[in-house]
């Protein structure tokens, strides 16, 4: 849980935790999510609400096959995240 830390980005080391199932980075100052998020193949829960995201276009969420829950409310997004309609959970 990395919430409430004033982070401007998700620390790169997080993307190396291949067995990570839940990532909570809510209430920070994150402006973008690195495409290496796609390396987290076991990720089921991604909570990134109350940040400063303007786009998620570099992420195709359909590539995270196990993703069941995505919470990205209260950001600055103008487009629906790519690939969500292809997830089966």
């Amino acid at each position: 849980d990395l919430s409430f830390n004033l982070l401007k980005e998700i620390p790169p080391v997080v993307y190396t935790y291949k067995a990570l199932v839940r990532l909570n980075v809510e209430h920070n100052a994150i402006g973008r999510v690195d495409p290496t998020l796609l390396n987290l193949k076991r990720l089921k829960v991604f909570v990134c609400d109350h940040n400063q995201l303007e786009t998620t276009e570099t992420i195709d969420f359909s590539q995270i096959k196990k993703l069941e829950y995505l919470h990205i409310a209260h950001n600055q997004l103008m487009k629906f995240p790519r690939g969500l309609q292809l997830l089966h959970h």
Side-chain angles (χ1 to χ4, degrees), residues 10-29:
I10 297 172
V13 69
V14 169
Y15 302 119
T16 66
Y17 300 136
K18 305 293 186 206
L20 193 65
V21 174
R22 179 180 168 83
L23 177 56
N24 184 349
V25 291
E26 66 184 325
H27 292 275
N28 281 293

Side-chain angles (χ1 to χ4, degrees), residues 2 10-25 33-47 59-69 87:
L2 296 171
I10 297 172
V13 69
V14 169
Y15 302 119
T16 66
Y17 300 136
K18 305 293 186 206
L20 193 65
V21 174
R22 179 180 168 83
L23 177 56
N24 184 349
V25 291
V33 177
D34 195 280
T36 29
L37 179 74
L38 299 176
N39 291 343
L40 303 177
K41 301 292 185 192
R42 296 184 182 173
L43 192 66
K44 289 184 178 182
V45 176
F46 181 47
V47 180
I59 309 292
D60 179 356
F61 285 98
S62 70
Q63 299 301 307
I64 309 173
K65 305 282 187 213
K66 298 199 182 264
L67 190 63
E68 296 175 1
Y69 182 82
L87 291 173

Side-chain angles (χ1 to χ4, degrees), residues 45-75:
V45 176
F46 181 47
V47 180
C48 193
D49 59 309
H50 294 277
N51 276 287
Q52 297 173 3
L53 291 178
E54 293 182 358
T55 183
T56 58
E57 288 188 9
T58 60
I59 309 292
D60 179 356
F61 285 98
S62 70
Q63 299 301 307
I64 309 173
K65 305 282 187 213
K66 298 199 182 264
L67 190 63
E68 296 175 1
Y69 182 82
L70 174 67
H71 193 203
I72 52 175
H74 304 285
N75 280 289

